[in-house]
Amino acid sequence: MTKLDIHDDWLPLDNAAKIYPSTASIKSPAEFRMAATLSGPVRLLYLQSALENTLPRFPYFQVYLRRGFFWYYLQRNNKIPRIELMQNVPVGIISVKERTAAMLRVSARGSDIAVDFSHILTDGNGGLRFFLTLLAEYVRLSGVEVSAHSNIFDLNQQPSPEEFEDAHRTQFLSGKTVDPGKMPPAYHVPGRVFLSKRYRLLNGRAPVAKVLQLTKQMGVSLTEYLTAVYICALIRIRKEEMEHGKRRRRSIIRMEIPVDMRRYYQTASMRNFSLFLSPEIDMKLGEYTFEEVLRQTHHSMQLLKSRKELQRQITRNVGAEFKPFVRYTPLLIKDIVLSSVYARLGEQLHSGVISNLGRVDVPDEMLPFIDSLYFMLNPNHVMKKCCAVLSFREELSITFGSVIESRSLERYFFEQLIRNEIPVSVKEL
Amino acid sequence: MPICRNCGVEIEENLDRCPLCSYPSREVPAKGWPFHRPEEAEPAGRMNAKDRKQSHDREESAVPLESAGPLETEGQLKSAERDDRVRLLFAEVTGFIALAGGVVVFAVDFAYGMAVTWSRFPLAAIGFVWILMSIPCWLRRRIYLIICAETCNMILFLFLLDAFTPDNLWFMSLALPITAGLGTALLLTTGCIRRFRLSVLGSISMVLIAMGLWILWIEMLINRFLDGRVYVSWSLIAAASVVPIIAFLFNFDWRLKKHGSNLKKHFHV
C-alpha cells in the first residue's frame, strides 16, 4: 500500500475517487457546483485575490490529474487558476484528462460566484468548506473581518496531514465481510437527452422551518421526506408511461442518497468521504400511497445508515482496491474494465439521486454579503435528473439538474410539497 | 468601481476591457444581455435564533449517531463459513473427478486382466493432481506448510513414476535432490520476502536469485549423474545473466525508496 507523504509533489487518489477518472465523461460527469448570489456585483479583483490567498491553504485541491502505470495520481502545482466567466450552462465539463486542467474552476458573473469541483478532488462537504473559506476571504478583502467558524479555515494555518488522508483507508476493517449484495437495475425516467452538452436547472425554495415542522410531525428526517417525495414523483411518471402503453418498465425504484461519513467517524479529511444509501421500493408489489412510501423510505434508510452497514460498504470498496489482481493491473486495462463495468452496472442501479448538504452556517459578518447559496449536481445520461439540497438562513434550496426536456419529475415533486402545505417558489437558473 | 455592462462584475477603473469577459467597458451590451440576477424567491417567515437552533438540531438528529462500539465481525464469521463451504465443495468436486478418472482407468485395466502396462501412470498422475489441488484447501494460508506438502507430493509422484519404470535409476540421484532443492529454494525465498518485507521489485529479485542458485544445483546433479563428477558450465552463464537484472531491480527499488516521489508516483499501487 502506498503511504501518503504530504511533502511529496503528488497525491494518490482516495478510494472513492479512483473510479472517476476512468468513468468520467460528458455522459457521466463527476462534478458538482457550489454557488452564491451576493448582495452586490462581484468585485473581480477581490475575488481573484481571495482565490490566490485561499487555494494554497488547500494544497490537495491545487493539483492536476496524471496517469501512472497502475493508478492515476494528483500532481501538485502552484498555479492559481484565473477567475472565469460563468457560462450560461451552469456546470460545464472539467476536462480532467488534459494534462494541466485544473480540477476546480472558479467563475463569476454579475452577483454570482460559483466553484465547480471535480469529484476526484473531494465530496460536497469538502467543497462546501473550501467555498465558504473563499467567500470569507472575499468578504475580508472587502473590509469586513470575519470571525472564526468551523466551516471556515484559517488561511494562516498550515494544512494538517489529516486533511490529506484517505479516510476510507483509515476506517478500513481488515478481513472479509459479506458484500452488500447485488442489486437489479432500477427504473429510469424516459426522455431523449439534449444533443448539446447543455443541461437545465430548476431551483425551488421553501421555508425550512415549515418543512422541518412537517417532517417532525411525520417522524422522519428532512432527507427521508424529500426522498419519499422524489420516489412518489417517479412512481407517477412510471404509471403514466404504463398507461400510455409503453413497454414494461423496470419495477424497482431506487434512490441514491449520499451520506457524509464525517458524521460517523472523527476525521479532518478534506477528500472524498461519502457513501451511499439505496432505499428502494418494488412496484411489482402494488400501488403505494405517499404515506407508505414515506414509511418504507424512513425505515429502510434507518437500517441502511447503521454504522455497521456503512462499515460494510467501506470494507468492500477498500478491500477491492487492495486485491493484488486489481492493484497490479495496468491502468490501461483498468480504464477499459472500469468504464464498461460502471456503464453496465454502476449507473443502472439508481433511478435518481438526492444529495442533502444540510444546514449551511456562516459567521454573522458574512450574512449581509450573501443573498443565497446554491448546490448543484451534474446529472448523468442514465438517471437524467438529479437533486441537490441545502438550507441557508431560513430557506431550503432544492435544485434539480436535468438533461431532458421534460419537467414532469420536478412538477410532481414540488406539487407534493404544495399538497403538504409547504409554499414553494420555483425559478430556472 | 465601474461595473461591466456585459457580465455585471465590478472591475477596476481605467480598464478598457473587462478582464473576465473581455467586453469593452464603454460599449453597449449586445441584445439578449446574458447577465441576469436570479429573481428573489418568495420571502419566507424569519426564524429567531431559538428556532434556527431547533431546526439545526432536528436536521442533525435526523441521522442518529450510533454508539461507536467495536465493530463486530459477524460478517467476517459468515464469510469464513462461506469460505469453508466453498472449500468443502471444491474438495468434493475435485475428489469426485479424480475418483471418476481413477475408476475409469482401473476398469479398463481390470477389463484387460490387469495387463495394461501404462495404467499405473495415469492413476499416479490423477492422485498427484488431486493432492496438488487439495493441499491449498486443506492448509488454507499456511504457506510454509503448503510448500512442504507440495514438495512431498511431487517427490512421492516422481518416486512412483520411477518405481513404475523398469530401470529405476533416476529418482534418488536426480528427482529427489532436484525437487528437494526446489522446495528449499521456495521456502527460503518466501521466508526472505516475508522476513524482510520486500517490495514487489525486491521479491522479484529474490525469486531470480533463487532460480539462479537452483539451476546451478540442477546442473551439478546432472553432471554427477552423467559424468560421475560435480562441475558447472552452462548454468553458470545462465545464473550470471540474471545478475544484471537483479542489480537493476535492486537499484530501481532503492531509488524508489530514496528519491521516491518521481518514480513512486508513476508506479504506486
Side-chain angles (χ1 to χ4, degrees):
Chain A
M1 188 194 334
T2 307
K3 282 189 178 172
L4 180 66
D5 183 350
I6 64 166
H7 302 297
D8 279 348
D9 68 341
W10 67 285
L11 295 168
L13 300 188
D14 60 68
N15 176 261
K18 279 209 154 81
I19 195 168
Y20 292 129
S22 303
T23 59
S25 66
I26 293 166
K27 289 183 177 177
S28 180
E31 292 167 20
F32 61 93
R33 167 177 281 196
M34 304 297 315
T37 299
L38 304 186
S39 49
V42 174
R43 293 180 177 177
L44 194 60
L45 187 66
Y46 291 171
L47 184 59
Q48 184 67 48
S49 300
L51 182 62
E52 285 165 11
N53 297 344
T54 305
L55 199 51
R57 173 61 185 78
F58 299 83
Y60 27 82
F61 293 166
Q62 215 175 350
V63 288
Y64 301 141
L65 185 72
R66 292 277 165 81
R67 291 179 71 90
F69 188 76
F70 296 109
W71 295 105
Y72 287 93
Y73 64 89
L74 299 172
Q75 176 68 52
R76 287 164 69 167
N77 73 90
N78 296 320
K79 284 186 186 168
I80 306 289
R82 304 293 304 170
I83 307 292
E84 294 181 23
L85 179 64
M86 195 188 288
Q87 300 298 312
N88 289 340
V89 181
V91 185
I93 302 299
I94 297 174
S95 179
V96 292
K97 291 185 179 171
E98 278 176 31
R99 205 169 156 71
T100 53
M103 310 283 289
L104 65 79
R105 177 173 53 211
V106 183
S107 53
R109 178 188 286 266
S111 305
D112 298 327
I113 296 176
V115 184
D116 299 322
F117 295 90
S118 166
H119 243 309
I120 296 167
L121 287 185
T122 186
D123 55 15
N125 186 293
L128 177 69
R129 292 164 91 178
F130 172 83
F131 182 63
L132 292 181
T133 307
L134 177 70
L135 283 185
E137 180 63 5
Y138 175 82
V139 170
R140 194 188 67 76
L141 291 173
S142 303
V144 177
E145 275 306 311
V146 177
S147 54
H149 192 275
S150 59
N151 277 339
I152 292 167
F153 282 45
D154 182 353
L155 299 184
N156 296 317
Q157 272 186 349
Q158 289 295 311
S160 74
E162 288 76 29
E163 291 172 31
F164 290 76
E165 76 181 11
D166 177 2
H168 293 92
R169 287 193 173 200
T170 56
Q171 304 303 338
F172 172 58
L173 194 67
S174 61
K176 286 186 177 177
T177 55
V178 178
D179 280 351
K182 286 182 182 170
M183 294 189 281
Y187 169 76
H188 296 111
V189 288
R192 188 182 292 274
V193 174
F194 297 136
L195 290 177
S196 68
K197 293 178 187 175
R198 300 167 68 102
Y199 74 90
R200 50 202 293 186
L201 289 164
L202 197 74
N203 179 255
R205 292 185 168 264
V208 71
K210 190 112 179 165
V211 184
L212 288 175
Q213 189 185 7
L214 176 75
T215 56
K216 192 175 182 179
Q217 282 169 5
M218 292 173 163
V220 297
S221 74
L222 176 62
T223 308
E224 287 162 4
Y225 171 72
L226 294 177
T227 305
V229 174
Y230 199 123
I231 290 175
C232 283
L234 286 168
I235 289 173
R236 279 183 71 179
I237 292 170
R238 184 178 179 277
K239 194 175 172 186
E240 280 175 5
E241 262 199 291
M242 304 286 274
E243 283 169 359
H244 283 87
K246 293 280 167 66
R247 62 187 171 83
R248 240 177 128 74
R249 315 306 294 175
R250 288 173 182 159
S251 66
I252 303 284
I253 294 179
R254 186 183 299 117
M255 294 298 296
E256 181 180 321
I257 315 293
V259 180
D260 182 11
M261 296 301 291
R262 295 171 186 85
R263 290 179 172 177
Y264 295 83
Y265 298 102
Q266 275 294 326
T267 177
S269 174
M270 283 292 287
R271 306 177 72 193
N272 285 296
F273 195 35
S274 302
L275 292 177
F276 299 105
L277 306 182
S278 301
E280 66 179 46
I281 62 162
D282 189 347
M283 294 307 295
K284 277 184 185 159
L285 301 177
E287 298 286 320
Y288 285 81
T289 63
F290 175 70
E291 284 68 30
E292 284 174 326
V293 172
L294 187 63
R295 283 296 118 206
Q296 180 146 341
T297 306
H298 166 69
H299 291 302
S300 63
M301 281 179 67
Q302 290 297 322
L303 287 172
L304 289 169
K305 72 184 171 193
S306 78
R307 192 183 165 98
K308 284 171 186 158
E309 282 299 323
L310 294 171
Q311 181 69 50
R312 190 201 296 276
Q313 278 194 49
I314 292 182
T315 303
R316 178 197 58 183
N317 296 347
V318 181
E321 184 192 327
F322 284 172
K323 284 190 168 70
F325 177 72
V326 176
R327 287 165 70 186
Y328 295 109
T329 301
L331 185 58
L332 191 69
I333 298 170
K334 280 195 188 103
D335 272 346
I336 297 166
V337 172
L338 281 177
S339 56
S340 63
V341 167
Y342 185 72
R344 281 194 301 114
L345 301 176
E347 290 180 333
Q348 299 288 336
L349 298 181
H350 294 99
S351 312
V353 56
I354 289 187
S355 183
N356 182 7
L357 270 188
R359 182 178 183 80
V360 178
D361 282 318
V362 297
D364 289 343
E365 302 85 32
M366 289 174 68
L367 288 174
F369 285 83
I370 305 172
D371 270 2
S372 49
L373 288 181
Y374 300 88
F375 173 41
M376 306 162 196
L377 296 177
N378 250 352
N380 67 42
H381 285 201
V382 177
M383 278 193 229
K384 303 183 190 76
K385 287 180 186 282
C386 59
C387 179
V389 182
L390 63 77
S391 58
F392 178 64
R393 287 179 166 161
E394 293 85 17
E395 278 188 332
L396 184 71
S397 165
I398 303 167
T399 308
F400 278 93
S402 171
V403 289
I404 56 174
E405 198 69 50
S406 165
R407 283 290 168 86
S408 301
L409 182 86
E410 292 91 327
R411 196 173 78 239
Y412 296 154
F413 184 94
F414 290 121
E415 275 178 10
Q416 180 63 49
L417 294 188
I418 291 162
R419 262 199 295 278
N420 290 135
E421 296 177 356
I422 296 170
V424 182
S425 66
V426 177
K427 65 188 174 194
E428 188 148 4
L429 294 180
Chain B
M1 276 197 245
I3 291 177
C4 171
R5 299 171 74 176
N6 184 43
C7 69
V9 300
E10 278 192 12
I11 55 177
E12 291 170 84
E13 288 179 24
N14 306 323
L15 283 180
D16 288 339
R17 287 177 179 276
C18 170
L20 192 60
C21 64
S22 303
Y23 195 80
S25 55
R26 290 162 195 269
E27 273 187 30
V28 178
K31 200 178 175 185
W33 192 34
F35 163 58
H36 70 283
R37 281 189 56 192
E39 293 168 16
E40 293 291 328
E42 283 182 9
R46 293 191 73 82
M47 280 193 300
N48 58 30
K50 190 180 168 190
D51 287 340
R52 271 206 297 270
K53 174 76 169 57
Q54 284 175 346
S55 305
H56 179 65
D57 289 347
R58 176 66 198 144
E59 280 195 331
E60 283 295 308
S61 64
V63 181
L65 211 121
E66 292 186 0
S67 61
L71 290 165
E72 212 8 63
T73 55
E74 187 184 342
Q76 292 178 28
L77 291 173
K78 281 182 183 172
S79 181
E81 284 172 14
R82 189 186 58 189
D83 285 354
D84 282 343
R85 282 201 300 275
V86 170
R87 243 189 297 275
L88 187 65
L89 184 67
F90 180 77
E92 281 177 4
V93 170
T94 53
F96 176 77
I97 293 168
L99 187 67
V103 166
V104 169
V105 172
F106 183 77
V108 171
D109 197 9
F110 186 76
Y112 285 90
M114 304 299 278
V116 181
T117 53
W118 50 263
S119 66
R120 285 170 294 178
F121 292 98
L123 278 174
I126 287 168
F128 166 70
V129 172
W130 179 62
I131 295 171
L132 185 84
M133 294 173 76
S134 302
I135 281 172
C137 293
W138 296 333
L139 299 177
R140 295 198 189 175
R141 294 184 178 184
R142 282 170 280 191
I143 187 75
Y144 296 111
L145 273 177
I146 289 174
I147 292 171
C148 290
E150 295 287 15
T151 307
C152 291
N153 181 36
M154 175 68 86
I155 288 172
L156 177 66
F157 175 58
L158 293 172
F159 170 75
L160 289 174
L161 292 187
D162 190 35
F164 296 153
T165 48
D167 301 319
N168 51 346
L169 294 171
W170 50 269
F171 175 73
M172 289 302 289
S173 50
L174 283 179
L176 179 62
I178 288 176
T179 313
L182 178 65
T184 310
L186 280 174
L187 280 175
L188 288 175
T189 308
T190 311
C192 284
I193 291 170
R194 290 190 151 198
R195 172 73 181 79
F196 301 114
R197 294 185 179 181
L198 294 180
S199 63
V200 177
L201 294 178
S203 303
I204 293 170
S205 305
M206 202 63 225
V207 170
L208 288 174
I209 290 171
M211 284 172 63
L213 293 174
W214 189 50
I215 55 173
L216 284 172
W217 176 242
I218 290 174
E219 198 197 0
M220 282 194 286
L221 293 169
I222 291 173
N223 289 342
R224 195 185 66 169
F225 180 72
L226 295 175
D227 299 345
R229 61 194 178 94
V230 176
Y231 66 94
V232 290
S233 55
W234 59 265
S235 64
L236 197 60
I237 298 167
S241 68
V242 297
V243 170
I245 301 171
I246 293 167
F248 170 76
L249 290 176
F250 270 126
N251 177 261
F252 194 72
D253 196 29
W254 175 75
R255 279 161 58 205
L256 273 182
K257 281 175 186 157
K258 186 164 185 190
H259 307 293
S261 194
N262 278 337
L263 291 169
K264 204 159 69 179
K265 67 187 176 191
H266 290 296
F267 292 100
H268 78 280
V269 290

